[in-house]
Amino acid sequence: MKIKTIFLLANGSSILLMTTFLIISYFYMILSVSMIGWLSLLTVLSAFISFLVYYLLTSPVERSIKRLAEEAHHISENDFGTKIPEEGPVEIRSLTHQFNGMSTRLSQSFQALQKAEQSRRELVANISHDLRTPMASIRAFIQAIQDGVVEDPKSKAQYMRTISLEVERLDQMIQQLFELSVYDSGTMQLHKEWTALDQWLLEVMEHKRFILEEQHREVHIDFPERVKEVYMDGEKMKRVLVNLLDNALRHSEARTDIRIRIRQQDRFIFIEVEDQGEGISQEHLPHIFDRTYRVEASRNQKYAGTGLGLAIARHIVEAHEGKIFAASELGTGSTFTIQLPREGKGVTSG
């Protein structure tokens, strides 16, 4: 039964009660005939006015409830675009306001889910694409060795070296996927301690020494003496710097130099990685830290990655309450900057 019908029935019940009283008065002569006539006329007039007032007062309530029902139906079909006018009694306006707020939050959540689903699909597509290259290389080289196509030890050693590099690429992809799942689940734990930056840098450079020598690269490091220690998770921040170096290697030519700058400004430490590569257009620059985002035209297949390295770097830096950003121009190279608080919350250096 509609709410307006309920209100009108309630009003009709009171009118019926008054009419019953007049009929009883007429039969038992409690009131005079003239008085009963006037009262009957007043009752009919009051009933008409009362029904009209009830109708006018309940119409906004009925419209609001009907709109709430319609919007609830739209929401059930993933349509969040309609806002319900807030009208009627205070309680109905309050309910409509809360409903509109709920609809907005649901819309935002649904858009976030759609974006996450799109990101997941892109991730699966990119990983599938990137897995084919090393798998095909490994299969081809193993087949060549098994078929006796390669017989001299030098060529075999070269083939085995290539297979080893491709396996390393596969391992890196799997490791990145695992890291990203940990960060997305919110279970990442930081083990911060005062870290000597000079030793930290040496360990990162040792990790990349082979590829730097292979590509005949020099890494120039600007390291002021007054910058000594930072309160951070050294192992995870190594991952960040390694990812930035991988990115610089991937998007610049062999025999070009890379520069790392470390500087301190107020209570922040800045770590910059500058390459002499192809650069990034302003169109793509705001999106490079999004997972799986890659400028396809600039991909170097020899060192292609999953597109997760910069996203992982951002997760780690933001967990340190820091920032990571990039500046670049096409044809002039890129500079990636990590900004970290030198001291953690409630922590001071000795």
Side-chain angles (χ1 to χ4, degrees), residues 13 25-26 31 35 45 57 60 81 95 110 130 135 150 164 216 225 235 244 254 284 303 322 334 345 349:
S13 299
S25 299
Y26 176 77
L31 299 174
M35 183 65 71
L45 183 61
L57 290 177
L95 176 62
F110 185 71
D130 289 326
M135 291 296 292
V150 180
S164 177
H216 304 285
E225 289 186 5
E235 291 301 317
L244 294 184
H284 297 291
Y303 299 105
S334 306
K345 289 184 178 179
S349 61

Side-chain angles (χ1 to χ4, degrees), residues 75 80 83 99-110:
I75 289 175
F80 304 95
K83 293 295 180 184
F99 190 92
N100 285 335
M102 180 193 70
S103 177
T104 300
R105 290 189 294 273
L106 284 173
S107 176
Q108 294 170 347
S109 299
F110 185 71

Side-chain angles (χ1 to χ4, degrees), residues 58-73:
T58 57
S59 290
V61 177
E62 184 184 31
R63 283 197 303 271
S64 296
I65 293 175
K66 186 180 293 185
R67 285 171 180 155
L68 285 171
E70 291 173 353
E71 181 61 16
H73 178 70

Side-chain angles (χ1 to χ4, degrees), residues 16-220:
L16 181 61
L17 183 63
M18 187 178 296
T19 304
T20 303
F21 170 75
L22 290 173
I23 293 173
I24 292 173
S25 299
Y26 176 77
F27 278 109
Y28 289 93
M29 301 301 292
I30 298 174
L31 299 174
S32 64
V33 175
S34 176
M35 183 65 71
I36 290 174
W38 280 106
L39 287 175
S40 299
L41 180 62
L42 289 173
T43 299
V44 172
L45 183 61
S46 298
F48 175 76
I49 295 173
S50 178
F51 273 105
L52 180 62
V53 170
Y54 263 81
Y55 182 85
L56 294 176
L57 290 177
T58 57
S59 290
V61 177
E62 184 184 31
R63 283 197 303 271
S64 296
I65 293 175
K66 186 180 293 185
R67 285 171 180 155
L68 285 171
E70 291 173 353
E71 181 61 16
H73 178 70
H74 291 158
I75 289 175
S76 69
E77 296 180 346
N78 300 330
D79 179 8
F80 304 95
T82 306
K83 293 295 180 184
I84 304 173
E86 298 177 15
E87 61 181 10
V90 175
E91 293 82 357
I92 296 296
R93 291 202 303 270
S94 176
L95 176 62
T96 305
H97 178 76
Q98 295 295 330
F99 190 92
N100 285 335
M102 180 193 70
S103 177
T104 300
R105 290 189 294 273
L106 284 173
S107 176
Q108 294 170 347
S109 299
F110 185 71
Q111 290 173 2
L113 286 173
Q114 285 184 317
K115 185 177 180 180
E117 177 63 16
Q118 180 65 25
S119 177
R120 184 192 66 80
R121 290 178 180 176
E122 291 176 359
L123 176 61
V124 171
N126 288 339
I127 291 295
S128 300
H129 179 276
D130 289 326
L131 284 174
R132 290 194 190 102
T133 302
M135 291 296 292
S137 297
I138 292 170
R139 186 182 299 110
F141 286 122
I142 291 176
Q143 189 67 43
I145 293 172
Q146 288 177 337
D147 293 345
V149 175
V150 180
E151 295 182 353
D152 63 289
K154 186 176 179 180
S155 297
K156 281 187 177 180
Q158 185 178 357
Y159 273 42
M160 294 304 294
R161 172 62 181 161
T162 303
I163 292 172
S164 177
L165 289 173
E166 297 295 353
V167 170
E168 186 177 341
R169 284 179 58 190
L170 288 173
D171 181 67
Q172 184 180 24
M173 292 180 194
I174 295 169
Q175 181 64 25
Q176 286 182 337
L177 287 172
F178 174 73
E179 287 182 36
L180 197 63
S181 68
V182 171
Y183 302 149
D184 285 344
S185 67
T187 58
M188 179 178 66
Q189 295 181 349
L190 297 179
H191 302 285
K192 293 184 179 181
E193 58 185 359
W194 285 105
T195 303
L197 284 180
D198 52 357
Q199 183 63 34
W200 177 77
L201 266 176
L202 285 173
E203 292 173 2
V204 174
M205 291 298 100
E206 181 62 25
H207 181 79
K208 305 304 296 181
R209 181 174 60 85
F210 177 81
I211 187 69
L212 290 170
E213 290 177 353
E214 187 179 55
Q215 296 188 20
H216 304 285
R217 302 218 192 213
E218 292 287 339
V219 177
H220 304 281

Side-chain angles (χ1 to χ4, degrees), residues 309-327:
L310 293 180
I312 290 172
R314 183 181 65 178
H315 274 288
I316 296 174
V317 172
E318 290 179 351
H320 282 78
E321 300 169 357
K323 298 178 182 177
I324 184 169
F325 47 91

